[in-house]
Amino acid sequence: MSALADTARPRAPGALSALASAVLPVLTIVLAIVAIWYAASVMMNRAWTLDQIARQNLEMTTMEIVAATMNQERPVLPTPHQVFNELWSTTAGEPIMRERRGEMQGNPRNLIFHAYHTLWPTILGFGIGSFLGILLAVGIVHSRAMDMSVMPWAIASQTIPILAIAPIIVVVVSNLPALNNAVDQGWISEDTKLLVPKALISSYLSFFPVVVGMVAGLRSPNAMDLDLMRTWSASRGQTFWKLRLPASVPFLFTSLKVSIAAALVGTIVAELPTGARFGLGARLLTGSYYGQTIQIWSALFMAAICAAALVILLGALEKLVLRRMGARP
Amino acid sequence: MKATAIPPWGLPALGAALIALAALTDTRLALILAVWFGAWALNATLADRARGRGSRFLVPLIFGVTLLALWEMAVQLYDISFVILPAPSAIWARMVTETATLWADFQQTILKGALAGYIMGCGAAFLAALAVDRSPFLQKGLLPVGNFIAALPIVGTAPIFVMWFGFGWQSKSAVVVAMVFFPMLVNCVQGLKASDQMQRDLMRTYAASYGQTLVKLRLPTAMPFIFNGLKICTTLALIGAIVAEFFGSPTVGMGFRIKIEMGRLAMDMVWAEIAVAALAGSGFYGLVALIEKRLTFWHPSQRRG
């Protein structure tokens, strides 16, 4: 035991310094970005402050001018602490639910409420998109005709800018008789109906990375492995379930991470032209209409936090699945 | 192979059965299904038999034409409302009559907004990648941050850039620069690391300078990665330029036109813009892919057969 402890002790500082060498550069860069950001906001907001001073015939020292540029109500570039304050006050400072017309409803002043309205369609769209992507990839790998005809059009489909599709999908989907019928029958609420077009747009963006990654993954077993399966006289189905599918899992997760970030972009973009009232995209758009720069930036940061959380979640899932499959870390 | 193998007549028989079943309830559906199965059978035989260059173009072409035909048939047979989905023929008619407007929008959005931003963004990312490559500290610090930012919805910066740079194409280019910078940077840095230690040592034994090693060894080996980044960025640039127009634009541009014509429910014009965007996007992607093929003919991924 003591021998083990002895060998373990000198390692600790090594691990610590390894951690430091990984964190220190990132920290430096982040600090540098924050410093540049502050400097830039002083530079960009100065004109307005100087203009105000000239109009009101005030005398201000340089320090006071700098302080004033950092705390404008509608700055050209908000400072980091303004964005952080806004983020804090619209998440922790506001109740998530509030009473309206006699019932408890989501509070549109709370950013978490908007994030919720963006996250649900994202996850739904990601689910649909990755399911279709996997299905398409299985078809492509097993049918030469499908490979040759679908793949070029899948690539072409991604060159259609999503915003061009978004309003059309919303018009088409909200006019679908089946969906209207479901609302009339009370099967789904009006809110759920609004969620469907957003989810479809985000699935449109998220299916492509999955197709590409999954095709590569399903084709990753080499000729030797495939020959071995043949010597065991494995059927196509057996080869698929026991060799191709397990081999594709690492590829799949890499694509899923790209795809969920794309799905979030899809949902936010879908909220822009459709007149959505709730969601981070709607928040961006109202901020842009009323010149509320701080609101735009805080919505942007909330989107960033959501994207990071989703990617980290998938990363954790990936680790779990790979460990279950017997991969060594 | 043996257990799940389907006899050669299996699929056609299944198709015929489906068509017959559909014909009992709805002749229009049967007609659409018949066209679909016919085209698919043609494609399947073509893909199985011919292995030349011709079928490589023919098969996707037939697939695309089939989709268009099915679309047209569905609209005509089911009398789908013009607002929901205009027929391809109506879109084509609109494209022919409105060529001047489409061309003006194309110039504003693709040539000025997207292309300028694409060149600036990718160029800046390439230079930044060289700097990152020279400094291990930057590499450790900038890359995690870059990877993080690359996953963000950068289109969200569009309203900010429109506020800063005005309604013209400059703000669209700025959005495009922001969108393409990090994906390009990550790819370039990865590419610059692609040459292996042995090759670099060899260059050192030749007493090659940093510049010589860069030009003669490392840039050529980085080419596949650089082109991968360039290809990804083509679609990003298009999306960025069009999305940014939504937050304010002069009275010309594809995003502007889509927004306006949507309001008037002139869906054929909206679809005409989409067709132009898709053609431009595919053309742009194809052009970069073609240049890649010319420049990286030596790379395994480009070898044929």
Side-chain angles (χ1 to χ4, degrees):
Chain A
M1 278 303 280
S2 66
L4 264 178
D6 280 341
T7 51
R9 201 170 292 143
R11 265 207 193 152
L16 206 68
S17 74
L19 188 74
S21 80
V23 171
L24 209 63
V26 176
L27 218 59
T28 318
I29 296 286
V30 169
L31 280 179
I33 289 173
V34 169
I36 293 169
W37 186 349
Y38 266 112
S41 55
V42 169
M43 295 283 293
M44 293 179 77
N45 300 337
R46 239 180 101 219
W48 194 82
T49 304
L50 290 180
D51 193 43
Q52 289 295 312
I53 292 170
R55 276 187 198 178
Q56 296 169 0
N57 280 324
L58 294 174
E59 284 290 327
M60 276 177 133
T61 60
T62 320
M63 277 318 290
E64 280 171 334
I65 291 175
V66 168
T69 56
M70 285 189 181
N71 293 301
Q72 287 174 4
E73 201 179 318
R74 288 181 185 187
V76 181
L77 175 62
T79 51
H81 71 262
Q82 278 179 314
V83 175
F84 182 80
N85 281 345
E86 171 83 3
L87 265 179
W88 184 256
S89 66
T90 51
T91 50
E94 286 277 347
I96 296 179
M97 306 290 278
R98 64 161 188 194
E99 197 178 315
R100 197 155 167 263
R101 288 198 217 108
E103 48 183 324
M104 290 303 275
Q105 285 180 330
N107 182 1
R109 282 192 197 152
N110 191 307
L111 211 49
I112 294 175
F113 168 74
H114 289 283
Y116 167 84
H117 270 269
T118 299
L119 277 179
W120 263 119
T122 301
I123 291 168
L124 187 63
F126 170 72
I128 300 171
S130 43
F131 178 72
L132 286 181
I134 293 171
L135 224 57
L136 214 56
V138 172
I140 285 173
V141 169
H142 283 100
S143 154
R144 202 178 138 74
M146 212 161 151
D147 177 23
M148 288 173 78
S149 41
V150 174
M151 208 54 187
W153 290 100
I155 295 171
S157 81
Q158 295 303 302
T159 63
I160 299 174
I162 184 65
L163 185 82
I165 302 286
I168 293 169
I169 292 181
V170 173
V171 170
V172 171
V173 169
S174 53
N175 280 313
L176 278 182
L179 215 57
N180 280 329
N181 197 23
V183 174
D184 289 341
Q185 299 283 329
W187 291 332
I188 57 172
S189 68
E190 196 71 36
D191 280 348
T192 321
K193 192 187 141 188
L194 291 176
L195 188 142
V196 175
K198 284 201 227 172
L200 284 180
I201 291 159
S202 84
S203 66
Y204 174 85
L205 270 189
S206 63
F207 94 93
F208 185 66
V210 176
V211 171
V212 174
M214 197 65 185
V215 166
L218 289 174
R219 284 189 177 147
S220 65
N222 55 36
M224 193 117 69
D225 297 332
L226 288 170
D227 281 345
L228 185 63
M229 291 304 274
R230 206 160 302 143
T231 62
W232 287 336
S233 91
S235 71
R236 252 177 118 124
Q238 284 171 323
T239 311
F240 176 77
W241 289 111
K242 303 203 165 153
L243 176 62
R244 285 188 189 273
L245 201 62
S248 72
V249 169
F251 289 84
L252 177 64
F253 271 105
T254 312
S255 327
L256 286 183
K257 282 189 219 163
V258 177
S259 152
I260 202 159
L264 186 70
V265 173
T267 315
I268 290 176
V269 170
E271 285 165 352
L272 297 181
T274 56
R277 285 180 305 148
F278 309 130
L280 294 174
R283 191 95 172 150
L284 278 175
L285 204 59
T286 52
S288 139
Y289 280 158
Y290 300 114
Q292 298 280 5
T293 30
I294 305 180
Q295 183 185 322
I296 298 177
W297 280 87
S298 62
L300 214 57
F301 267 80
M302 197 64 194
I305 294 166
C306 289
L310 290 173
V311 172
I312 289 170
L313 214 66
L314 268 178
L317 190 68
E318 176 184 19
K319 247 183 207 153
L320 200 77
V321 169
L322 287 183
R323 196 170 302 155
R324 267 295 184 79
M325 287 173 60
R328 267 165 293 169
Chain B
M1 283 283 180
K2 56 180 169 65
T4 52
I6 302 164
W9 47 265
L11 280 176
L14 190 73
L18 262 176
I19 291 168
L21 201 69
L24 288 177
T25 54
D26 190 345
T27 19
R28 296 173 294 187
L29 186 65
L31 213 58
I32 291 174
L33 275 180
V35 171
W36 169 252
F37 274 110
W40 187 253
L42 180 66
N43 249 356
T45 39
L46 263 181
D48 276 346
R49 300 261 165 79
R51 292 188 178 247
R53 259 185 98 91
S55 66
R56 218 157 241 300
F57 284 102
L58 213 55
V59 171
L61 197 69
I62 292 172
F63 184 73
V65 170
T66 314
L67 285 187
L68 280 182
L70 291 178
W71 177 354
E72 182 83 41
M73 280 172 78
V75 171
Q76 301 284 355
L77 290 174
Y78 284 94
D79 250 342
I80 291 176
S81 157
F82 188 72
V83 176
I84 292 185
L85 195 68
S89 54
I91 297 166
W92 175 249
R94 198 63 189 250
M95 279 177 83
V96 174
T97 52
E98 299 275 354
T99 321
T101 317
L102 290 172
W103 173 241
D105 292 343
F106 175 80
Q107 277 182 312
Q108 169 74 15
T109 306
I110 310 280
L111 295 186
K112 286 186 192 161
L115 203 61
Y118 180 78
I119 293 169
M120 283 191 281
C122 292
F126 179 70
L127 294 179
L130 288 182
V132 167
D133 183 59
R134 281 289 254 184
S135 145
F137 187 79
L138 270 184
Q139 209 174 94
K140 274 188 195 156
L142 203 57
L143 278 193
V145 177
N147 271 323
F148 178 72
I149 294 176
L152 301 185
I154 299 176
V155 273
T157 55
I160 296 162
F161 284 140
V162 171
M163 260 178 222
W164 286 356
F165 299 106
F167 284 175
W169 62 268
Q170 291 86 348
S171 59
K172 282 81 209 174
S173 289
V175 173
V176 173
V177 168
M179 277 185 85
V180 301
F181 185 80
F182 281 104
M184 187 67 192
L185 177 72
V186 171
N187 272 293
C188 284
V189 170
Q190 205 182 356
L192 285 172
K193 279 194 256 172
S195 60
D196 50 59
Q197 196 59 48
M198 192 97 85
Q199 293 168 323
R200 274 183 239 176
D201 284 345
L202 184 64
M203 289 305 273
R204 204 163 304 137
T205 62
Y206 293 155
S209 66
Y210 170 77
Q212 284 172 322
T213 315
L214 190 69
V215 171
K216 303 228 159 119
L217 169 67
R218 305 191 51 204
L219 282 183
T221 49
M223 277 297 167
F225 292 89
I226 292 174
F227 273 106
N228 189 30
L230 285 175
K231 281 198 281 193
I232 293 171
C233 291
T234 55
T235 51
L236 286 180
L238 236 64
I239 292 175
I242 293 183
V243 169
E245 275 177 0
F246 205 81
F247 290 93
S249 66
T251 55
V252 67
M254 301 173 87
F256 167 80
R257 193 79 53 204
I258 289 167
K259 191 172 145 192
I260 293 299
E261 301 291 339
M262 258 318 284
R264 292 193 206 149
L265 288 182
M267 297 307 287
D268 49 354
M269 190 59 191
V270 175
W271 277 95
E273 289 283 353
I274 291 173
V276 171
L279 281 176
S282 307
F284 195 5
Y285 185 94
L287 191 71
V288 175
L290 198 74
I291 298 171
E292 178 186 22
K293 214 162 232 177
R294 279 287 158 84
L295 288 182
T296 63
F297 55 90
W298 45 268
H299 193 262
S301 67
Q302 297 296 332
R303 266 183 228 140
R304 248 184 250 113

